[in-house]
Amino acid sequence: MQPPAWLRATIVFHGMLFPFQCGLFGWLACQHFKVSWQMRANLVTGFLMEGVFLALILSGASLHYVGSWREQVVWFHQLCGVLLPAALGLHWFIGLRWAEKTAK
């Protein structure tokens, strides 16, 4: 079965987002982490989210270099891609609860 014509362009665009993702990860690690660490706020879900983000970056980069493990790396990358929005939502939810508690 032939993949749809739009799929290749979508995959290329997705790969072109890699530098932006790395920059965002670096900004979060340098700025957001620093403030959160000082406040001791939402650390567990923050580390969970950044762990998933880092796994996405590393697995995405490794897709260019793996040979025999490519199928497993693709599966892992897709799993992390599904987990990232869930981790972000959990991080945001817990962060809002923390902010409401500290505002009282």
Side-chain angles (χ1 to χ4, degrees), residues 12-23:
V12 168
F13 176 70
H14 176 78
M16 290 173 58
L17 292 175
F18 182 66
F20 170 74
Q21 295 166 343
C22 289

Side-chain angles (χ1 to χ4, degrees), residues 14 18 54-65 70 73 77:
H14 176 78
F18 182 66
L54 182 60
L56 267 172
I57 290 170
L58 294 176
S59 63
S62 69
L63 284 173
H64 295 283
Y65 304 106
R70 183 169 175 75
V73 174
H77 187 70

Side-chain angles (χ1 to χ4, degrees), residues 2 7 9 11 15 21 33 52-53 65 82:
Q2 189 75 2
L7 183 61
I11 291 172
Q21 295 166 343
F33 276 14
V52 173
F53 206 170
Y65 304 106
V82 170

Side-chain angles (χ1 to χ4, degrees), residues 9-101:
T10 304
I11 291 172
V12 168
F13 176 70
H14 176 78
M16 290 173 58
L17 292 175
F18 182 66
F20 170 74
Q21 295 166 343
C22 289
L24 180 61
F25 180 81
W27 178 83
L28 287 170
C30 292
Q31 300 297 318
H32 188 72
F33 276 14
K34 183 179 172 184
V35 173
S36 298
W37 188 263
Q38 290 170 347
M39 294 187 310
R40 295 285 190 238
N42 210 1
L43 295 176
V44 173
T45 59
F47 280 122
L48 170 71
M49 189 181 77
E50 286 303 309
V52 173
F53 206 170
L54 182 60
L56 267 172
I57 290 170
L58 294 176
S59 63
S62 69
L63 284 173
H64 295 283
Y65 304 106
V66 296
S68 59
W69 293 6
R70 183 169 175 75
E71 192 173 313
Q72 289 86 355
V73 174
V74 167
W75 180 86
F76 180 71
H77 187 70
Q78 290 171 341
L79 174 66
C80 291
V82 170
L83 290 177
L84 185 64
L88 177 59
L90 180 65
H91 183 64
W92 195 303
F93 176 74
I94 300 291
L96 287 176
R97 287 186 53 208
W98 177 86
E100 288 171 358
K101 272 194 229 178

